[in-house]
Amino acid sequence: MNEITSKHIESMNKTFVTEIKESAQYATVYNAKSIKPRLHLHKQLSQQTLFPADMLTILSFLYQYQDRDKRVAIVNATSPCAPSQDYIDGKDSFETSLCKISTLYNVLQQALDAHAIDNNYYQKNKSKNGLYTNIALYTPNIIFPYYAENISADVINCTAPDYNMFLDSGHFSENKNYQAIKSRLKFIRNIAEDHHVDTLILGAYGCSLFGQDATVVSKLCAEVFRHSTIPTIIYAIPNAGYDFAAYSKHFISPEDPTEFDTSELE
């Protein structure tokens, strides 16, 4: 752990003692058996939008919702076997970016003690050949200090299937990988619906660090989240590189008036 990381963690612990404790206390562990799809409610066409966004842009968006009666949740493709391990190791990931600007790491650490999550969450991912399993931790009211304001959002912590690790496992199957990422996205959708989330924010889930192909994942996202009780889905991806280009084939950005063609999903 470097000095900047250590100071941030210490600062969050000192400044937001009560908030961190409450978020950890009310965190919820989900598995495939504890959450079911709300099929009878999947009648709404969700608005899915691609934002060329970095973390500051996401914070600005959250700030707009701070005084509104809206529930915003961010999807974190969390480290599979320890809380925010990428952040501690200094790896560049979506989770690292979240932890750098929030109380997320502190909450995940305290949630271990509050819910014995090491046995119920991380342990179940340690022998899954890289695909891991449908298990998630819903952490409410994560604090994001933003200039003079303290804004908050819920975070759905759910490990993405690791394409690279599965490829090296000796048990690789392209179809099994495809089914795993599709199942994980449905699982995340069901959790967000269970919490009546109004706006769900995802990055390029499972891509980059976990090695998933953004072309495949973006198409699955368009399918899985097309009909949902979640009114708004936002894909926050920096406007550079392969991931953004892949997602732009399926989702429009606010500057683009072209409507999303859903014919291939029929």
Side-chain angles (χ1 to χ4, degrees):
M1 182 188 304
N2 62 41
E3 185 178 355
I4 294 175
T5 299
S6 179
K7 285 184 176 180
H8 174 76
I9 293 171
E10 183 180 357
S11 174
M12 294 297 100
N13 276 332
K14 287 182 178 179
T15 308
F16 303 108
V17 176
T18 302
E19 292 87 346
I20 290 170
K21 182 178 180 180
E22 289 181 352
S23 292
Q25 180 180 352
Y26 292 107
T28 306
V29 177
Y30 283 94
N31 58 47
K33 294 181 179 179
S34 64
I35 187 73
K36 301 296 181 183
R38 296 179 160 197
L39 296 176
H40 63 292
L41 297 178
H42 286 183
K43 298 178 181 179
Q44 176 176 313
L45 186 64
S46 296
Q47 178 184 346
Q48 300 191 69
T49 307
L50 174 62
F51 272 55
D54 55 16
M55 280 300 151
L56 286 177
T57 307
I58 293 176
L59 280 177
S60 178
F61 174 83
L62 292 177
Y63 180 73
Q64 296 177 43
Y65 277 81
Q66 184 63 31
D67 295 324
R68 301 183 187 181
D69 188 23
K70 300 284 186 180
R71 182 178 292 275
V72 179
I74 303 172
V75 176
N76 170 31
T78 189
S79 305
C81 300
S84 306
Q85 191 63 49
D86 294 338
Y87 175 52
I88 298 302
D89 292 343
K91 293 182 179 178
D92 185 16
S93 69
F94 193 78
E95 179 172 52
T96 295
S97 298
L98 287 175
C99 290
K100 282 181 177 179
I101 58 173
S102 75
T103 58
L104 179 59
Y105 176 80
N106 310 70
V107 170
L108 291 176
Q109 281 287 345
Q110 288 203 16
L112 281 173
D113 298 327
H115 300 281
I117 284 171
D118 187 50
N119 291 325
N120 294 322
Y121 184 75
Y122 294 106
Q123 287 291 340
K124 293 185 178 181
N125 271 330
K126 289 186 177 180
S127 59
K128 297 296 182 181
N129 297 320
L131 290 183
Y132 308 120
T133 189
N134 284 359
I135 191 165
L137 180 64
Y138 192 99
T139 47
N141 299 320
I142 299 300
I143 303 298
F144 293 80
Y146 184 65
Y147 296 108
E149 302 286 339
N150 293 323
I151 57 182
S152 66
D154 300 347
V155 177
I156 301 173
N157 304 278
C158 186
T159 304
D162 191 322
Y163 186 94
N164 297 325
M165 185 176 290
F166 187 39
L167 186 64
D168 294 337
S169 69
H171 302 281
F172 181 78
S173 162
E174 198 71 60
N175 182 60
K176 285 183 178 179
N177 177 75
Y178 178 86
Q179 294 302 327
I181 191 72
K182 183 176 183 179
S183 174
R184 201 67 41 84
L185 289 169
K186 288 182 175 180
F187 180 60
I188 289 168
R189 179 201 62 197
N190 296 343
I191 293 171
E193 290 180 343
D194 191 52
H195 283 269
H196 306 286
V197 168
D198 297 290
T199 298
L200 185 67
I201 302 174
L202 303 91
Y205 184 74
C207 305
S208 300
L209 192 65
F210 287 88
Q212 296 293 340
D213 187 341
T215 299
V216 175
V217 177
S218 59
K219 186 175 181 179
L220 281 173
C221 284
E223 176 186 343
V224 169
F225 292 106
R226 186 185 180 197
H227 289 100
S228 174
T229 63
I230 310 164
T232 304
I233 316 289
I234 291 176
Y235 302 97
I237 302 171
N239 186 9
Y242 178 74
D243 291 351
F244 186 87
Y247 273 74
S248 66
K249 294 178 181 178
H250 296 282
F251 310 108
I252 60 172
S253 62
E255 299 80 15
D256 187 351
T258 305
E259 292 187 0
F260 170 44
D261 180 11
T262 60
S263 59
E264 65 176 307
L265 300 177
E266 299 292 347

